[in-house]
Amino acid sequence: MQVNPTEAGLSQDRLEQITRHLEENYMTPGKIAGCQVMVARHGVPAYFRSFGSMDLERGKAMRDDTIFRIYSMTKPVTSVALMMLFEEGRFQLNDAVSRFVPSWKGHRVWLEGEGEGMKTKMPDSPMTMRHLLTHMAGLTYGGSLFPSDHPVDQVYKQLNVSRDDGENSESFLDKLSRVPLRYEPGTSWEYSLATDVCGCLVELISGQTLGDFLEERLFSPLGMNDTGFDVPADQVDRFAANYGRTAKKTLRLMDDPETSIYTQPRSFHSGGGGLLSTTADYAKFCEMLRSGGSVNGKQFISRRTLQLMTRNHLPDGVDLSAVAMGSFSETAYDGVGFGLGFATTLDEVRSGTIGASDFYWGGAASTIFWVDPVEDLYAIFMTQLMPSATFNFRGQLKNIIYGAIKD
């Protein structure tokens, strides 16, 4: 990839601090197997570098076209897809979800107790499309991403609510119809399966599978040829291994690319975490967002709709610290708001980071991206290390990248 930091208004010497920082603090100590970083400003790539290994067991160096599990970086893609249908007049943000999923009319809200002694009530107002897009729907992750013994999460486990192969949108939505809501919709924020439901709604409204919709409406037109829900057999050699950390802080293989579940077609297209992609592909998505929804004369989503999506939709304009339940997500809470599929920095002082008005998200294997409409830039970081809270890559890279701005 050709880069031109000068044309992008960034200092090449200062951007090289990314190289030094990652080499000295992560590659040399062996804290991660490898990674990739891309920075672009004014539509001009300014920095692109691959580090280390994509597969330690096979001694394979990180390739510029390595395929990564992007997990929850799927969420912004799915949210954009659903809002493309919004722009077709297919739904309103305040429409009840039960308009499309009739079985959800019976959803009740947990009050107290557990098991057969659990007390529930009908919600004061129905769950809406906006609630799903903002993670304020009353859903949870059911303890699948982090341990939870809450009575509602126990119901998720009893019903085997999952995104595993063998599931499909119909069975997934049917199981969720029988799970009590954790809280009144619209009153709290909890990272959850809500975006997976958004993916199911894309299927219900469009009449296509989520994979087909994304391929037709986003991936193919954008040239995102290496993005999808599985890795083709002839591309497995480009697929990175996924690692975790042992108690001794060494790396352990969690998902071998050659035997991974992602090497086979998936029956459930997880709109909340199922996509695989490359840095170059995700950069095309980010460039579309940076450009206000249009690229090369083709409009994917309107500028006004994207502005709506990236505004803070939390009640009364508060930040996540005021309404978030639980401590797990892909963002800090202080000074951070949440829109329709994206987090956004509200207050640089409270958040302790530069980039007010940026919008972003990350993935469970420590992948991150952000788009900053004020500075007209985006950055992408790809690695494969779980969990994502292990290191603060976003904060560290932000400090370096914003310190390289010259104009």
Side-chain angles (χ1 to χ4, degrees):
M1 180 183 296
Q2 294 292 321
V3 299
N4 191 332
T6 300
E7 187 178 343
L10 295 165
S11 164
Q12 181 173 355
D13 288 343
R14 284 178 171 265
L15 283 177
E16 279 303 314
Q17 180 61 29
I18 296 173
T19 306
R20 293 188 289 271
H21 176 73
L22 292 173
E23 290 282 7
E24 292 174 9
N25 295 292
Y26 293 99
M27 305 313 308
T28 299
K31 292 181 179 178
I32 58 177
C35 64
Q36 211 164 75
V37 184
M38 180 178 177
V39 181
R41 188 164 181 245
H42 306 320
V44 179
Y47 181 95
F48 179 78
R49 200 71 52 86
S50 298
F51 299 85
S53 299
M54 59 179 283
D55 187 333
L56 292 171
E57 285 66 32
R58 296 176 178 87
K60 296 171 68 173
M62 183 68 70
R63 296 172 47 153
D64 289 352
D65 63 352
T66 296
I67 297 171
F68 300 90
R69 301 158 193 78
I70 64 170
Y71 290 119
S72 287
M73 275 169 55
T74 304
K75 288 180 169 70
V77 178
T78 300
S79 300
V80 167
L82 187 57
M83 291 302 287
M84 292 170 82
L85 295 170
F86 168 85
E87 288 193 331
E88 294 178 2
R90 305 289 195 97
F91 68 91
Q92 302 298 312
L93 289 178
N94 293 329
D95 282 349
V97 177
S98 59
R99 173 188 167 193
F100 302 99
V101 191
S103 62
W104 283 31
K105 289 181 180 178
H107 255 148
R108 298 178 67 85
V109 179
W110 176 83
L111 293 176
E112 60 180 76
E114 59 184 291
E116 294 182 359
M118 182 182 293
K119 293 183 180 179
T120 62
K121 64 180 283 292
M122 291 299 293
D124 294 336
S125 57
M127 180 200 303
T128 67
M129 304 292 278
R130 184 199 306 270
H131 293 150
L132 285 175
L133 284 158
T134 57
H135 289 287
M136 299 188 73
L139 303 175
T140 78
Y141 258 116
S144 61
L145 294 187
F146 52 94
S148 172
D149 58 2
H150 191 277
V152 169
D153 291 331
Q154 294 305 313
V155 180
Y156 279 83
K157 294 171 186 174
Q158 291 162 13
L159 294 173
N160 191 29
V161 178
S162 75
R163 301 175 291 176
D164 295 336
D165 202 37
E167 200 76 76
N168 57 46
S169 291
E170 183 178 0
S171 62
F172 181 73
L173 293 173
D174 176 67
K175 290 177 181 179
L176 284 177
S177 73
R178 292 178 273 155
V179 178
L181 302 180
R182 175 67 178 82
Y183 54 84
E184 286 280 353
T187 62
S188 296
W189 186 95
E190 182 166 6
Y191 199 39
S192 69
L193 292 168
T195 316
D196 284 288
V197 177
C198 289
C200 295
L201 288 166
V202 170
E203 296 192 346
L204 288 172
I205 296 170
S206 71
Q208 298 177 276
T209 67
L210 180 60
D212 286 347
F213 183 92
L214 293 176
E215 178 63 27
E216 178 183 316
R217 300 287 293 273
L218 279 171
F219 300 158
S220 182
L222 283 170
M224 296 172 66
N225 301 322
D226 291 318
T227 303
F229 289 101
D230 57 78
V231 181
D234 61 353
Q235 301 299 322
V236 170
D237 65 322
R238 297 167 50 201
F239 189 26
N242 196 15
Y243 296 92
R245 294 236 295 176
T246 68
K248 295 182 179 179
K249 298 184 179 182
T250 57
L251 296 176
R252 63 182 179 88
L253 182 65
M254 292 186 65
D255 187 31
D256 188 313
E258 293 194 358
T259 59
S260 172
I261 58 172
Y262 295 105
T263 60
Q264 301 296 324
R266 312 287 289 152
S267 66
F268 182 72
H269 291 170
S270 169
L275 284 176
L276 306 116
S277 191
T278 63
T279 298
D281 266 17
Y282 210 84
K284 294 171 183 176
F285 178 66
C286 288
E287 176 61 19
M288 181 270 290
L289 297 175
R290 183 202 68 83
S291 300
S294 299
V295 174
N296 297 327
K298 180 173 178 58
Q299 180 173 306
F300 294 86
I301 196 161
S302 76
R303 174 179 56 83
R304 293 298 299 272
T305 299
L306 186 57
Q307 287 173 347
L308 176 65
M309 293 182 70
T310 56
R311 291 178 60 183
N312 182 26
H313 285 247
L314 300 181
D316 301 318
V318 300
D319 66 8
L320 283 169
S321 68
V323 292
M325 301 178 68
S327 58
F328 174 81
S329 78
E330 296 296 341
T331 183
Y333 292 161
D334 290 335
V336 175
F338 201 85
L340 305 179
F342 302 90
T344 180
T345 304
L346 301 176
D347 188 321
E348 293 180 332
V349 174
R350 279 183 56 77
S351 67
T353 62
I354 303 172
S357 299
D358 66 358
F359 52 96
Y360 63 90
W361 206 239
S366 302
T367 60
I368 59 172
F369 84 99
W370 76 87
V371 178
D372 184 336
V374 175
E375 290 296 342
D376 198 30
L377 69 76
Y378 64 84
I380 300 167
F381 175 81
M382 295 286 202
T383 190
Q384 300 283 256
L385 177 75
M386 299 182 77
S388 58
T390 307
F391 303 112
N392 184 14
F393 291 116
R394 187 191 311 280
Q396 295 162 17
L397 289 172
K398 268 194 160 189
N399 293 352
I400 297 170
I401 293 167
Y402 284 99
I405 294 174
K406 294 169 62 176
D407 53 28

